[in-house]
Amino acid sequence: MGIVVVGDVALDVVAAHAGSIVHGGDARAKIALTTGGAGANTAAWLAYCGIETVLVARVGDDVAGRRASEELTTTGVRCAFTIDHDAATCCVVVLVDGDGQRSMLPDRGAGKNLAATDLDPALLRDARHLHLSGYVLLDEETREAGLGMLAAAHDAGLTTSVDPQAAALITDPALFLTELRDVDVLLPNLDELAVLTGSRDPASAATLLGTVGAVAVTTGPAGASWVDKDGIVSVPAAPGDCVDSTGAGDAFDAGLLSELLAGKAPEDCLLAGVRLGAMAVGQVGAQPGPVNRR
């Protein structure tokens, strides 16, 4: 029994530029087309970890959707996609600067039409955990679908996790926290933690424990921390160069969840997360590349 992941599948147009973007002008860049989307990224890395993984998402009836399905299936992900004939597959323009830091321009496309009924109840009977991308909750058009899926997972006896995904999109922190009630693990980065608690100190995550069961905070170059009722555990970052930070948090989620489902201690879960995060940032693209695939 494995994990159901709910989130976007996307065509990522990754533009790595060494210099500044020239407004109204030209700037040289290296361009790559890769399969992405927060849900798809986490699912691909979970499969890399050997976890039985099902990805629930909406894609368009187009080349991008078919390519994503083929590539994810190759990695070992079972694609439970709803084909949307009225919208294109999500597309994201990813701008990567000389330090490997990414800025994103997303068009969620078919992902904006996600519905609670896209999750087949039979998938929950064969799973232990449901992981939801926060983008689903942060879009008014899919919020109810996300809440419905979390409720269905709880009713089926699954544990759950949510990655907030984007601090800039959490415009109503109080509402967002209300939506997270009874989630077992929250997976924010420091920016998202600051929006939710008012502090970038990982220890501030303790204030969220009345809402969620535990918080795993990624702290960038400092590593990651786990906060629960027993206190805080922290680990350093894994060594490596940052080529493209796209999907680092998604990979971290997969590493941590794979160990969590195996019953490992928080420190082991964090170490697995930072290891996969370092692998993700060391390449262009947010999913396991051919060199990484087992």
Side-chain angles (χ1 to χ4, degrees):
M1 299 178 72
I3 294 181
V4 175
V5 178
V6 180
D8 288 344
V9 175
L11 171 66
D12 282 357
V13 183
V14 183
H17 57 98
S20 301
I21 299 295
V22 181
H23 181 68
D26 296 349
R28 298 288 186 186
K30 291 184 178 180
I31 310 295
L33 300 179
T34 66
T35 298
N41 297 340
T42 297
W45 284 105
L46 281 166
Y48 170 84
C49 293
I51 304 297
E52 183 179 345
T53 306
V54 179
L55 176 60
V56 174
R58 281 213 177 199
V59 298
D61 183 14
D62 51 27
V63 172
R66 289 187 287 274
R67 169 179 166 164
S69 180
E70 291 171 1
E71 291 191 356
L72 288 163
T73 299
T74 298
T75 69
V77 176
R78 176 183 171 189
C79 297
F81 292 172
T82 298
I83 307 300
D84 196 315
H85 298 282
D86 298 319
T89 298
C90 174
C91 183
V92 183
V93 176
V94 185
L95 305 177
V96 182
D97 66 21
D99 294 323
Q101 298 304 308
R102 94 316 186 253
S103 300
M104 299 197 302
L105 302 171
D107 179 348
R108 290 192 68 210
K112 294 172 66 175
N113 298 327
L114 186 75
T117 53
D118 291 348
L119 174 60
D120 184 345
L123 297 176
L124 300 177
R125 292 196 291 270
D126 297 327
R128 293 174 54 196
H129 185 89
L130 183 139
H131 175 73
L132 180 72
S133 165
Y135 286 124
V136 175
L137 296 178
L138 294 173
D139 190 328
E140 290 185 3
E141 295 180 83
T142 54
R143 178 177 293 126
E144 290 304 318
L147 293 175
M149 291 181 186
L150 285 173
H154 286 140
D155 290 345
L158 277 65
T159 53
T160 58
S161 56
V162 173
D163 184 326
Q165 303 287 179
L169 299 181
I170 306 175
T171 56
D172 189 338
L175 173 62
F176 189 66
L177 287 173
T178 298
E179 295 167 348
L180 297 176
R181 187 164 301 281
D182 298 328
V183 165
D184 293 282
V185 184
L186 183 65
L187 298 145
N189 62 24
L190 284 178
D191 292 335
E192 294 149 8
L193 181 70
V195 172
L196 296 175
T197 69
S199 171
R200 294 175 63 86
D201 182 349
S204 71
T207 63
L208 303 176
L209 296 181
T211 300
V212 300
V215 183
V217 186
T218 52
T219 54
S225 296
W226 173 277
V227 180
D228 63 14
K229 59 181 178 57
D230 295 321
I232 183 169
V233 176
S234 300
V235 303
D241 296 327
C242 182
V243 175
D244 174 8
S245 64
T246 311
D250 304 329
F252 172 85
D253 295 348
L256 182 140
L257 292 174
S258 67
E259 295 298 279
L260 191 64
L261 262 65
K264 298 295 182 66
E267 182 177 5
D268 294 324
C269 296
L270 293 173
L271 289 171
V274 297
R275 179 177 67 84
L276 259 61
M279 290 175 63
V281 302
Q283 63 177 22
V284 174
Q287 296 180 14
V291 174
N292 294 331
R293 288 176 187 164
R294 292 175 174 173

